[in-house]
Amino acid sequence: MRDATSNPSGDISATSGDGPLAVEATAWLVRLASGEATSEDAAALQRWRSQSSAHRQAFAEAKLLWEVLGPAGDMVRERAKVSAVQALVATNVIASRRNVKLGRRAFLGGALAASVAAVGYVGARPPFRLWPSPGELTADYRTGTGERQTIALADDVSIVMNTQTSIDIRSGAAGTRAFELIDGEAAVTAKASFEVFAANGRVTASSARFSLRRDQASVCVTCLEGAVRVNRHDQLVEVLTGQQVVYDDNGFRPVAPIDVAVASAWERGQLIFRHEPLARVVQELNRYRPGKIVLLNDRLGERDVVATFQLSRIDEAVVNLAQTFSARLRRLPGGMVLLS
């Protein structure tokens, strides 16, 4: 494998995800999932992995991607089977066999996008947000990865939708204007009475600037100016300027102070982190770029980050983080990036 110093393109990735070791590692996974793997195969795999740390790393990365991809990509996996076995036979990793029955869990890193159209897997939350959920598909407004959109409901109410956000316009109590946050994050500037619904909760404001972020059943409400009231079932919480509250199926968490400039940075096209663990930073970056950044080192994920990134140059953030922490960065097809 190459490191940053031997890569003439200047990219600090090592070998690409479709290199020889990656193909062989994928082929091993195909064989192990076939239901016909033998003890000789297991011993041969151990010999293959023991050849070098690069072999072990390739197998670990292929296994990780196999697991996180989940059920997406059935058609692509079918296409992967023949090439994977051919790779093993061609490199003498395993002996050629007739009528090899392959499992359905083969992985082909080069065609993540094609897997979206290949499966009818729309009943659950999509892996890596590769396609919209049913609720998002029927939303009145929706933004894609890395997109922002401003909606003026009237002269006195405006909404800024952040990346991967879906909302439905509806009526609130007594005919007041309102919307439901289906998923994602939105900032609201209201100069008149206004309501927002999200995950069995309701936010009410009459003259305020606030934001909501919904991650499935968890909702975070941040008051940027003025005051808002948050109702959930029979509980009511008031949130003032510079405060934030989170609620989920377990109820409200305590109201906490926040830095307004940090919380609203995305509206200005920035991401600001002040002493956040790298794992949390990576999780946030994944909202704004296609594919997925995967941390392979738990200790690396604990490193402290103080940084400001421009959303218009989000990929530079990944490179900067890798350089700052002397981490190994490897790019794979489909926008996948491995940090270790």
Side-chain angles (χ1 to χ4, degrees):
M1 288 193 172
R2 296 179 297 172
D3 57 20
T5 59
S6 61
N7 190 338
S9 68
D11 189 331
I12 61 175
S13 63
T15 56
S16 65
D18 56 357
L21 289 183
V23 172
E24 291 178 19
T26 298
W28 272 117
L29 292 174
V30 173
R31 180 59 190 166
L32 294 176
S34 69
E36 295 186 355
T38 65
S39 57
E40 288 81 5
D41 289 331
L45 171 59
Q46 293 305 315
R47 290 193 297 272
W48 182 85
R49 293 178 67 250
S50 66
Q51 292 183 56
S52 70
S53 60
H55 285 73
R56 291 188 292 274
Q57 181 76 9
F59 186 78
E61 292 172 355
K63 184 174 181 293
L64 173 68
L65 293 176
W66 180 317
E67 291 172 348
V68 299
L69 187 59
D74 285 347
M75 180 181 295
V76 175
R77 283 191 273 266
E78 294 296 325
R79 292 167 52 192
K81 295 173 182 178
V82 174
S83 60
V85 171
Q86 288 176 342
L88 286 180
V89 174
T91 56
N92 295 316
V93 176
I94 60 173
S96 178
R97 294 180 173 88
R98 292 184 180 180
N99 301 320
V100 175
K101 296 180 180 179
L102 298 176
R104 292 173 56 79
R105 298 279 293 172
F107 171 77
L108 183 61
L112 282 174
S115 71
V116 177
V119 294
Y121 183 65
V122 296
R125 189 178 180 89
F128 310 159
R129 301 188 65 97
L130 288 174
W131 62 89
S133 67
E136 293 171 316
L137 283 172
T138 59
D140 292 326
Y141 296 94
R142 177 164 60 90
T143 57
T145 299
E147 294 180 344
R148 293 195 304 276
Q149 182 178 357
T150 300
I151 303 169
L153 293 186
D155 293 339
D156 49 13
V157 178
S158 65
I159 305 168
V160 182
M161 299 170 60
N162 198 4
T163 179
Q164 300 179 352
T165 297
S166 301
I167 67 173
D168 268 340
I169 305 301
R170 53 184 290 188
S171 296
T176 59
R177 286 161 298 177
F179 73 86
E180 179 181 359
L181 180 63
I182 299 171
D183 198 17
E185 185 173 25
V188 180
T189 300
K191 299 177 182 179
S193 182
F194 192 76
E195 292 182 319
V196 182
F197 299 86
N200 298 316
R202 183 176 86 253
V203 180
T204 306
S206 58
S207 180
R209 190 166 70 90
F210 61 98
S211 66
L212 298 90
R213 175 166 168 175
R214 178 177 180 178
D215 296 301
Q216 298 188 32
S218 176
V219 178
C220 177
V221 181
T222 302
C223 184
L224 305 172
E225 293 179 13
V228 299
R229 295 172 300 281
V230 185
N231 294 82
R232 186 180 182 277
H233 300 317
D234 58 349
Q235 294 179 296
L236 171 64
V237 173
E238 186 174 36
V239 186
L240 305 178
T241 302
Q243 293 182 336
Q244 185 178 83
V245 70
V246 175
Y247 66 85
D248 54 24
D249 291 338
N250 297 317
F252 283 99
R253 300 178 195 172
V255 175
I258 53 94
D259 185 328
V260 170
V262 173
S264 61
W266 64 268
E267 296 183 66
R268 305 186 301 275
Q270 295 180 321
L271 287 181
I272 300 176
F273 300 100
R274 295 293 180 260
H275 300 290
E276 296 280 356
L278 180 58
R280 172 74 179 86
V281 173
V282 166
Q283 182 182 33
E284 192 67 12
L285 292 177
N286 276 331
R287 300 175 63 221
Y288 293 89
R289 60 180 302 280
K292 188 175 181 67
I293 307 167
V294 180
L295 273 174
L296 300 178
N297 186 321
D298 290 339
R299 293 187 63 183
L300 179 62
E302 297 171 357
R303 300 290 295 273
D304 185 66
V305 177
V306 177
T308 299
F309 299 123
Q310 301 297 320
L311 291 176
S312 60
R313 303 194 300 274
I314 199 67
D315 275 337
E316 292 181 10
V318 183
V319 175
N320 290 340
L321 288 170
Q323 292 174 340
T324 298
F325 296 113
S326 300
R328 178 174 177 264
L329 184 153
R330 181 178 180 187
R331 299 186 187 276
L332 299 175
M336 301 291 289
V337 174
L338 306 182
L339 284 177
S340 58

